[in-house]
Amino acid sequence: MPLVAIVGRPNVGKSTLFNRIVGRRDAIVDDAPGVTRDRHYAQTDWGGKHFTLVDTGGFVPASDDLMETAIREQAQVAIEEADLVLFVVDGRDGRVPQDEEIALILRRADKKVLLVVNKLDGDTVDAPAADFFALGLGDPIPVSALAGRRVGDLLDLVTAGMPGEEESEGDPRLKIAVIGKPNVGKSSFVNALLQQDRHIVTPIPGTTRDPIDAILRIQGGEVLLVDTAGLRRKSKIRESVEFFSTVRTLKSIDRCDVAVVLLDATQGLEHQDLRIIESAVERRRAVVIAVNKWDLIEKDSTTARSYEKSLIEKLRIYSFIPVIFMSALNRQRIYKVVDLARTVDAEQNKRIATNEVNELLGKDIAVFPPRSSSGKEIKIKFITQVRAKPPVFAFFCNEPKLIEDGYRRYLENRIREHFTFSGVPVLITFKQK
């Protein structure tokens, strides 16, 4: 699909235009400059023509600030990737030196550019757009991204010449969300897999705010990676931007097949890590734990085994999640993480034959039948797996409401003992028979 990049200096309404075009609040929008940092992609369409839209951070051409430099580099990469660039300027502020510097960069890039003059809310205020002819990028296009004014006319120009494309019937690729606390190395891990600086990486915690999709081409087919903003405890979410990042991270979990939870080997498993794991399991997603920065740990022949044993003890009810040790910096076992995610995805998609389920679990129930505090006898008569991804097992019995949580955990443990389901949440339901 054609790729359209939105660029411009900070706070001219790039993300507002992005959201208007894709038809949802996908990019974080805030009054504070510099909110958008990474390249943010979304697929959208206009008039039956499909294209990929990318939002970029505020472009500051001449700055030594670490964050602004990183954002500028990402915007330049987006320009290089794009088939068409939407250069957004602020019609209320008028033409400023930063606009002229960006225009010079775009002319040198030799890309097709549409000059979008934003924040012009009425037919009588289009006059300021004429000032932007001096940028040498063709006719200025006056719009109001916030009100939606003339955005349709803009999209007609964007899609002119694009081939029509039929809607795909869903994405069959494995979708992996990379989640974890801030600064555990999520972006470094994704960059190492992709072998390019696809995401901004700095020592500043919380650099990534928007979830970013990337395609990993690897033996066995393509994998869709989602690098997400670091999740923190709610009490530490001070600014609205970080709150929206957390919301979108949870949405990324909802959208993925497997969540890879990154831990910092030097910090071990902390309470917030458990909360993140719980968030993924509550959303019925398969999970893999990848312990990053393993290169920083002094090791002998028993270190990994002892570390994993300690980790499993702390995981308790989540001890079914597989653990792998890796180093994004040294690229140690990074592709093994993807292989493990594929294995876990196969686990959550498998179905167990009804006769096998009844034979094996029937013996377990006979050895340890359910007990009721009311004194009524509970008889489980039939068991079947009713769905996969996640696997759901239905137990048909005479008194489903009397089954206690402890017995539910016993049955889940027996299911895992017989059928594994490594890294996969197993759901158990009791129905009247």
Side-chain angles (χ1 to χ4, degrees):
M1 279 187 285
L3 191 146
V4 179
I6 303 176
V7 301
R9 61 185 176 86
N11 224 27
V12 295
K14 297 183 298 299
S15 295
T16 303
L17 180 61
F18 179 93
N19 289 338
R20 173 66 64 178
I21 292 174
V22 301
R24 59 185 184 274
R25 279 183 60 88
D26 219 6
I28 298 172
V29 177
D30 196 276
D31 292 333
V35 169
T36 302
R37 294 172 174 177
D38 284 316
R39 287 167 287 161
H40 189 182
Y41 291 83
Q43 292 182 0
T44 188
D45 68 282
W46 179 256
K49 296 179 179 181
H50 298 262
F51 59 96
T52 299
L53 190 67
V54 54
D55 184 23
T56 63
F59 198 113
V60 183
S63 173
D64 295 326
D65 178 80
L66 176 62
M67 184 61 68
E68 289 181 346
T69 300
I71 291 171
R72 181 173 66 247
E73 290 173 354
Q74 290 291 301
Q76 288 172 328
V77 171
I79 292 169
E80 291 172 9
E81 292 179 348
D83 300 294
L84 170 67
V85 177
L86 300 182
F87 176 26
V88 182
V89 294
D90 190 327
R92 294 177 184 170
D93 291 347
R95 178 165 48 92
V96 299
Q98 279 186 339
D99 294 329
E100 294 174 352
E101 293 174 35
I102 297 170
L104 178 61
I105 292 169
L106 290 171
R107 288 198 301 270
R108 288 174 177 171
D110 194 26
K111 293 282 184 177
K112 181 181 178 182
V113 178
L114 293 179
L115 177 58
V116 182
V117 185
N118 191 27
K119 303 185 183 180
L120 298 180
D121 298 313
D123 292 332
T124 59
V125 295
D126 285 350
D131 183 43
F132 292 95
F133 274 106
L135 295 177
L137 292 171
D139 294 344
I141 305 165
V143 305
S144 171
L146 186 62
R149 178 177 175 266
R150 292 192 178 178
V151 173
D153 296 338
L154 171 63
L155 287 171
D156 287 339
L157 296 172
V158 168
T159 56
M162 285 185 185
E165 187 173 357
E166 292 183 1
E167 194 84 42
S168 64
E169 294 183 359
D171 194 338
R173 294 173 295 192
L174 174 65
K175 301 173 191 67
I176 299 175
V178 182
I179 63 176
K181 294 182 304 187
N183 225 27
V184 294
K186 298 184 297 299
S187 292
S188 297
F189 172 52
V190 172
N191 285 343
L193 286 172
L194 298 171
Q195 301 183 46
Q196 58 177 300
D197 290 335
R198 172 63 175 72
H199 300 2
I200 296 172
V201 180
T202 73
I204 303 171
T207 301
T208 302
R209 283 178 167 173
D210 284 319
I212 311 296
D213 287 1
I215 297 171
L216 172 65
R217 293 176 176 86
I218 192 173
Q219 186 176 3
E222 290 185 348
V223 172
L224 199 64
L225 298 173
V226 180
D227 174 35
T228 55
L231 284 167
R232 303 188 185 198
R233 292 193 298 274
K234 290 182 181 179
S235 60
K236 291 196 174 181
I237 301 177
R238 302 292 185 189
E239 51 176 319
S240 62
V241 172
E242 194 164 341
F243 167 75
F244 285 121
S245 294
T246 302
V247 171
R248 284 175 178 77
T249 297
L250 296 176
K251 287 184 177 179
S252 295
I253 295 173
D254 290 335
R255 197 162 53 87
C256 78
D257 299 305
V258 180
V260 173
V261 179
L262 252 62
L263 306 184
D264 187 326
T266 63
Q267 297 176 3
L269 183 73
E270 298 183 333
H271 179 71
Q272 180 59 8
D273 297 311
L274 283 171
R275 291 291 302 153
I276 292 168
I277 292 168
E278 183 180 54
S279 295
V281 174
E282 283 179 347
R283 285 162 174 76
R284 312 304 185 195
R285 293 299 179 265
V287 181
V288 168
I289 293 176
V291 183
N292 190 25
K293 306 183 184 181
W294 191 239
D295 54 302
L296 301 180
I297 300 295
E298 293 186 10
K299 296 178 280 292
D300 56 31
S301 59
T302 63
T303 303
R305 190 180 305 110
S306 300
Y307 196 108
E308 184 174 2
K309 182 180 178 181
S310 173
L311 204 58
I312 290 173
E313 288 175 354
K314 292 178 181 178
L315 286 169
R316 302 182 67 180
I317 62 172
Y318 305 123
S319 60
F320 61 87
I321 299 173
V323 177
I324 186 169
F325 300 95
M326 54 158 282
S327 168
L329 181 64
N330 295 340
R331 299 172 56 81
Q332 179 185 17
R333 286 191 288 275
I334 58 173
Y335 293 105
K336 294 287 185 184
V337 177
V338 178
D339 291 340
L340 183 56
R342 281 174 164 166
T343 300
V344 167
D345 184 54
E347 284 284 293
Q348 70 178 341
N349 279 289
K350 71 183 181 183
R351 288 184 175 272
I352 311 301
T354 299
N355 59 344
E356 187 178 3
V357 171
N358 281 274
E359 181 182 353
L360 294 174
L361 293 180
K363 293 176 181 178
D364 295 325
I365 292 169
V367 170
F368 183 50
R371 294 181 175 84
S372 169
S373 57
S374 68
K376 289 185 178 180
E377 183 181 11
I378 302 173
K379 293 183 178 180
I380 296 176
K381 302 176 181 179
F382 181 72
I383 314 159
T384 186
Q385 183 181 355
V386 295
R387 61 166 289 182
K389 199 176 183 179
V392 180
F393 290 85
F395 289 74
F396 292 88
C397 57
N398 61 332
E399 297 288 347
K401 294 181 180 179
L402 297 181
I403 305 261
E404 298 176 348
D405 288 341
Y407 197 74
R408 185 188 297 270
R409 287 192 294 271
Y410 166 75
L411 292 175
E412 181 182 338
N413 291 336
R414 298 287 72 74
I415 289 171
R416 294 192 183 281
E417 183 180 303
H418 296 305
F419 312 118
T420 311
F421 289 113
S422 177
V424 180
V426 173
L427 281 67
I428 292 175
T429 179
F430 298 98
K431 295 185 177 295
Q432 185 75 43
K433 177 70 173 178

